[in-house]
Amino acid sequence: MMTIKRFMCNPLQENTYIVSDDTKECVIIDCGAYYDNEKQALKDYISQEGLKPVHLIATHGHLDHNFGDADMLRTYGLKVEICEEDVELVTHLSFHASTIFGMQINDPEPEVGRTLKDCDIITFGDHKLKVVQTPGHSHGSALLYCEDEHTVFTGDTLFRMSIGRTDFEEGSWEEMEHSLNDVIAKLPKETTVLPGHGPQSTIADELQFNPYLR
């Protein structure tokens, strides 16, 4: 059984997840830790639980989901794994931080390890996460789906009763509409949705109440 720990990070209140199982291997999903106390909180949890981080994964390349990547590389030797279409985004965090948000990043730019594509499998412990590409919020946005645990990490593609923005330069409403209704809507209704911002949901609730899903 997976253990999922959520940390709310940075001024944009992004959800960072540490996912582990009985083997004590874990993956870090969307490491948005910006402040020193946020980075320390992640490391304290990993240490206290005796976990071994084996993957650092990003659902997409936007800065609020990757502020902590350099610290994870420095601490655990993990390079971020991300879909190829968002590599340019994630490797230019400082530029986006300064030009869009007026923020300063003192860490080096993230280093990319494995580039992901649709249907790739990421393994840790006794579990598997399937990469499901869902462009729309960005060209390289993806879900991380654990079929055995009926759980999906949706990044900024799907939120509880809402969706991610498509008005960024790398966004597309047409792609988003396809991702929502031809990919996400076909997941089992009992699937728990763990988004990049805000509270969790289920596919059943989203199909019933989210105005963007049909």
Side-chain angles (χ1 to χ4, degrees):
M1 183 174 181
M2 291 195 309
T3 298
I4 301 171
K5 177 70 173 179
R6 179 180 73 128
F7 297 82
M8 189 180 297
C9 294
N10 68 60
L12 297 179
Q13 297 186 316
E14 176 268 353
N15 292 330
T16 294
Y17 297 98
I18 297 178
V19 186
S20 59
D21 67 13
D22 292 341
T23 70
K24 295 299 184 177
E25 287 193 346
C26 72
V27 297
I28 303 162
I29 299 174
D30 286 351
C31 189
Y34 177 72
Y35 298 109
D36 288 344
N37 66 313
E38 295 172 345
K39 298 173 185 177
Q40 192 60 50
L42 299 181
K43 290 182 281 192
D44 286 347
Y45 174 77
I46 290 169
S47 176
Q48 290 163 8
E49 296 298 316
L51 302 180
K52 178 185 177 182
V54 293
H55 294 283
L56 172 64
I57 316 165
T59 60
H60 64 293
H62 288 156
L63 75 170
D64 54 320
H65 293 253
N66 293 277
F67 280 131
D69 289 353
D71 192 55
M72 295 300 101
L73 174 61
R74 185 165 52 241
T75 305
Y76 303 111
L78 297 177
K79 297 181 180 180
V80 66
E81 301 172 37
I82 190 169
C83 289
E84 185 172 0
E85 293 86 348
D86 272 16
V87 166
E88 185 172 356
L89 276 177
V90 80
T91 53
H92 292 82
L93 291 191
S94 296
F95 172 77
H96 295 296
S98 60
T99 57
I100 299 174
F101 295 102
M103 300 173 69
Q104 182 177 353
I105 299 177
N106 296 319
D107 277 327
E109 301 289 4
E111 293 186 34
V112 174
R114 177 183 178 185
T115 53
L116 304 173
K117 60 182 183 299
D118 196 49
C119 295
D120 276 353
I121 301 296
I122 298 168
T123 61
F124 68 101
D126 297 324
H127 287 82
K128 297 178 181 178
L129 296 173
K130 181 181 180 180
V131 177
V132 182
Q133 288 198 252
T134 52
H137 181 64
S138 69
H139 295 311
S141 288
L143 313 178
L144 299 170
Y145 177 47
C146 183
E147 183 176 6
D148 290 342
E149 299 274 352
H150 309 293
T151 300
V152 63
F153 299 88
T154 57
D156 284 3
T157 299
L158 179 69
F159 304 136
R160 179 173 173 82
M161 309 309 160
S162 189
I163 62 171
R165 293 174 58 175
T166 61
D167 58 340
F168 295 121
E169 183 177 351
E170 65 277 2
S172 166
W173 167 246
E174 290 76 18
E175 290 183 336
M176 176 67 86
E177 192 172 30
H178 169 76
S179 294
L180 293 171
N181 294 300
D182 295 327
V183 180
I184 290 177
K186 298 186 184 305
L187 292 174
K189 291 183 178 180
E190 67 271 19
T191 303
T192 297
V193 173
L194 296 171
H197 300 268
Q200 70 181 51
S201 185
T202 65
I203 293 297
D205 283 349
E206 295 309 305
L207 287 171
Q208 184 173 0
F209 299 113
N210 192 321
Y212 297 98
L213 287 173
R214 61 175 184 267

